[in-house]
């Protein structure tokens, strides 16, 4: 049996794409679109960051192809080269959200979504008031978990969860072993575990 794309998931992808291609809390729309282009270059098989992509492009490239190889020292070197930790955190969010959007579209056999003309809007500057340094390599709020790791930048945290829930399961149902949509909870968790294994994501 072949399942048609779920309307809620497609709608979530459209919202995520709109979010990705507009100004964020720290980066402009143009800067965010440069991140998108660099990540797509990496996934298309580029062997190194673009020559003119700068430190943001370098961070993007390695997040896209070798995230598990990044260390605290590497992130500190990015900062020493001028990439603010909050900007780095925003890039983490962009690459993660984009991977979900792009690979979902590929899985449906569709073309990747085309970038619009970047707006001239300024970054919102929205940063959580209770942001702390030190728990991770990036600013965080409280003790972060996978769904809340971006919450130092509230709009990025909201965007992550807005796509996370339709693609996986509503946060309120994570512990419900009887939950089901088109798949049973066991099938959902098998797919999640397999995907995590293939991506070397051992959270």
């Amino acid at each position: 049996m072949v399942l048609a794309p779920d309307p809620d998931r497609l709608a979530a992808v459209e919202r995520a794409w709109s979010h990705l291609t507009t100004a964020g809390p720290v980066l402009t729309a143009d800067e965010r679109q440069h991140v998108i282009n660099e990540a797509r270059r990496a996934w298309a098989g580029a062997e190194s960051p673009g020559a003119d992509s700068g430190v943001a492009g370098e961070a993007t490239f390695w997040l896209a192809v070798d995230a598990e190889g990044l260390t605290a020292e590497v992130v500190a070197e990015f900062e020493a080269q001028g990439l603010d930790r909050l900007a780095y955190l925003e890039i983490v969010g962009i690459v993660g959200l984009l991977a979900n959007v792009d690979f979902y579209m590929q899985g449906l056999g569709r073309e990747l979504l085309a970038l619009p003309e970047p707006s001239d809007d300024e970054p919102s500057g929205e940063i959580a008031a209770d942001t702390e340094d030190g728990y991770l390599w990036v600013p965080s709020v409280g003790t972060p978990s996978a769904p809340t790791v971006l919450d130092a930048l509230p709009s990025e945290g909201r965007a992550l969860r807005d796509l996370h829930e339709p693609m996986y399961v509503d946060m309120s149902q994570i512990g419900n072993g009887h939950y089901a949509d088109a798949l049973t909870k066991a099938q959902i968790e098998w797919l999640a575990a397999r995907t995590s294994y293939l991506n070397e994501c051992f959270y």
Side-chain angles (χ1 to χ4, degrees):
M1 178 177 65
V2 177
L3 298 176
D6 181 86
D8 290 340
R9 292 191 179 100
L10 284 175
V13 165
E14 291 171 359
R15 291 193 302 272
W17 184 245
S18 176
H19 174 81
L20 282 165
T21 56
T22 54
V26 178
L27 303 179
T28 65
D30 188 59
E31 289 169 330
R32 287 169 70 89
Q33 292 195 19
H34 279 297
V35 170
I36 290 170
N37 283 327
E38 188 63 37
R40 284 178 165 177
R41 279 187 68 257
W43 291 326
E47 295 184 356
S48 60
D52 300 321
S53 63
V55 63
E58 184 178 356
T60 299
F61 181 87
W62 293 115
L63 281 164
V65 300
D66 189 26
E68 70 275 13
L70 294 173
T71 64
E73 291 74 22
V74 172
V75 176
E77 179 59 26
F78 291 155
E79 185 177 33
Q81 294 179 50
L83 184 63
D84 178 84
R85 295 280 176 137
L86 285 169
Y88 174 76
L89 180 62
E90 188 167 333
I91 292 171
V92 170
I94 294 168
V95 174
L97 211 62
L98 179 67
N100 204 319
V101 168
D102 276 7
F103 297 139
Y104 183 72
M105 298 305 289
Q106 287 179 349
L108 295 178
R110 300 187 181 186
E111 295 292 325
L112 298 183
L113 297 171
L115 288 166
E117 282 295 316
S119 72
D120 295 328
D121 295 342
E122 291 296 317
S124 69
E126 184 188 14
I127 299 168
D130 50 350
T131 294
E132 299 176 355
D133 294 324
Y135 185 81
L136 299 173
W137 309 334
V138 293
S140 59
V141 175
T143 302
S145 62
T148 64
V149 70
L150 301 176
D151 280 1
L153 303 173
S155 61
E156 302 308 294
R158 291 191 295 268
L160 169 63
R161 288 185 290 278
D162 186 54
L163 189 58
H164 173 276
E165 293 190 352
M167 287 293 184
Y168 174 42
V169 63
D170 189 281
M171 294 293 292
S172 65
Q173 298 296 325
I174 286 179
N176 179 4
H178 300 290
Y179 173 83
D181 51 24
L183 302 176
T184 67
K185 186 64 160 44
Q187 290 170 324
I188 292 170
E189 294 298 347
W190 188 91
L191 286 171
R194 178 66 174 165
T195 301
S196 295
Y197 172 77
L198 292 173
N199 288 322
E200 298 187 11
C201 174
F202 304 123
Y203 169 77

